[in-house]
Amino acid sequence: MNFAADARARDIHTRQIQDAVTNVETHFGDLCQIFAAYVRKTARLRDKADLLVKEVHAFADTETPSLKHGLKNFADELAKLQDYRQAEVERLEAKIVEPLKSYGAVIKLKREDLKVTLSARNREGRQLAQLERTRQRNPTNRQIISQAESELHRATMDAARTSRQLEETIDNFEKQKMKDIKKIFSEFVTIEMLFHGKALEVYTAAYQNIQNIDEEDDLQVFRSSLRQPEYQSRLDVVRANSRLSFDSTCATAKRLEMPLQRQNLEDCDNYGGDEDDGDEDDATDDEN
């Protein structure tokens, strides 16, 4: 039996498996961090849009009837879109970030399997070196040489067994990795298509509400307010035409009071590495 050749072959095989695990660890970790940043930015966009909805409602309350009606309907459509965006954020976290994050624990298990195999390989290497020294020092002592060969044989069998187990484990790992990658990216595309499909419907309705504003009617209302015998502010005239509506802003206002739950999105650093997702730019935008 060529112990040295078999040992070298197993060593090369183990290094290939180790490289495969490291590759998944690196790229899944990066994907996890980037997708988590994508979700956070989407959530921040939702929050900014909520503020826009609130401001459009406030502006509408000061305007003439047709403009007021059009702006409020526009804001209601925009608020509806943010509900869809909230669903997008939740789905992305559950279907994309969480599965990627779970690979941190999976990779740790594979590292443990590799340690077992490498430990067996090291024992085999030590026994092989011991046999070579024994042959050099006691070339005629068959009893000592035979004992060293027996020790090497046991170490080799153990190394071969752990190598087979590792190969089976990594084979299953590779199959599952490919299935998960297909599922994760398919889910991502599906979630985005659902959101953008709804967004197209909502934006179409919002556009129509703006186009339906009757400029001539509102201009007549404005001119009439200027001709009243007694002074009355424009704001009072407008508010006399219709009462304020708060129902359409309740859901938005409630969401504005709730901070984004980010702790689940910040666990991707278990893979290692630093994340640079442009948060400084967002902070600058917020200050402006």
Side-chain angles (χ1 to χ4, degrees):
M1 178 181 292
N2 193 335
F3 293 105
D6 291 342
R8 283 194 297 272
R10 281 193 293 273
D11 192 39
I12 293 172
H13 190 227
T14 301
R15 282 200 300 270
Q16 290 174 336
I17 293 174
Q18 194 170 20
D19 290 342
V21 172
T22 300
N23 184 64
V24 173
E25 181 180 32
T26 299
H27 292 290
F28 271 51
D30 290 343
L31 285 171
C32 185
Q33 291 185 7
I34 293 169
F35 272 120
Y38 183 96
V39 175
R40 287 196 296 272
K41 287 182 180 296
T42 302
R44 283 195 287 272
L45 178 59
R46 173 208 61 202
D47 293 341
K48 293 296 185 183
D50 282 340
L51 292 174
L52 177 59
V53 169
K54 186 177 180 181
E55 178 57 29
V56 172
H57 269 290
F59 174 48
D61 286 335
T62 69
E63 280 300 330
T64 45
S66 182
L67 182 56
K68 176 178 182 177
H69 182 71
L71 287 175
K72 282 188 171 291
N73 286 341
F74 173 86
D76 290 343
E77 293 296 336
L78 198 57
K80 185 190 302 182
L81 181 60
Q82 304 325 305
D83 292 335
Y84 291 132
R85 204 185 299 276
Q86 174 64 23
E88 177 194 16
V89 167
E90 293 172 357
R91 289 168 182 163
L92 286 171
E93 183 177 357
K95 302 289 187 179
I96 309 299
V97 177
E98 288 298 325
L100 285 170
K101 190 165 59 178
S102 70
Y103 262 79
V106 174
I107 289 169
K108 286 180 181 178
L109 292 176
K110 301 310 155 192
R111 291 290 187 194
E112 292 298 322
D113 293 338
L114 275 166
K115 285 181 181 179
V116 172
T117 301
L118 290 173
S119 178
R121 281 284 300 109
N122 290 335
R123 285 195 299 271
E124 181 185 27
R126 289 194 298 270
Q127 291 300 326
L128 180 60
Q130 180 64 35
L131 176 60
E132 292 300 325
R133 286 195 298 270
T134 300
R135 285 173 174 170
Q136 291 175 4
R137 295 172 182 174
N138 303 284
T140 59
N141 193 330
R142 286 302 308 162
Q143 181 178 359
I144 296 177
I145 293 175
S146 178
Q147 183 178 359
E149 288 176 342
S150 297
E151 293 293 334
L152 175 59
H153 180 72
R154 283 193 293 270
T156 298
M157 295 299 293
D158 186 45
R161 178 182 57 80
T162 57
S163 293
R164 285 194 302 270
Q165 291 175 344
L166 179 63
E167 184 176 351
E168 293 173 3
T169 297
I170 293 301
D171 186 73
N172 292 331
F173 172 74
E174 189 70 14
K175 289 179 183 177
Q176 191 62 47
K177 179 202 73 176
M178 289 188 285
K179 288 181 180 179
D180 288 341
I181 280 292
K182 289 179 65 176
K183 183 177 181 181
I184 287 169
F185 280 93
S186 297
E187 291 281 6
F188 174 72
V189 173
T190 300
I191 291 167
E192 291 299 292
M193 285 195 301
L194 284 172
F195 171 75
H196 288 289
K198 291 293 185 181
L200 182 59
E201 295 176 12
V202 173
Y203 280 131
T204 300
Y207 179 84
Q208 192 59 53
N209 282 316
I210 294 299
Q211 297 305 307
N212 289 339
I213 294 173
D214 193 322
E215 301 167 54
E216 290 300 324
D217 280 356
D218 277 7
L219 188 57
Q220 291 299 323
V221 172
F222 175 73
R223 288 169 178 169
S224 297
S225 70
L226 296 179
R227 298 193 187 100
Q228 293 186 42
E230 293 183 2
Y231 175 80
Q232 186 179 21
S233 72
R234 185 185 179 201
L235 178 59
D236 292 336
V237 173
V238 174
R239 287 179 174 172
N241 290 317
S242 61
R243 64 188 181 86
L244 297 177
S245 174
F246 296 100
D247 293 341
S248 61
T249 60
C250 287
T252 299
K254 183 178 180 180
R255 190 162 62 241
L256 285 170
E257 294 172 359
M258 298 175 62
L260 172 64
Q261 299 298 316
R262 295 177 57 181
Q263 63 273 17
N264 289 335
L265 302 182
E266 294 176 344
D267 292 339
C268 293
D269 55 4
N270 291 334
Y271 290 90
D274 296 327
E275 176 188 355
D276 182 11
D277 60 1
D279 287 343
E280 293 181 1
D281 293 338
D282 289 335
T284 302
D285 292 341
D286 291 342
E287 290 175 1
N288 293 333

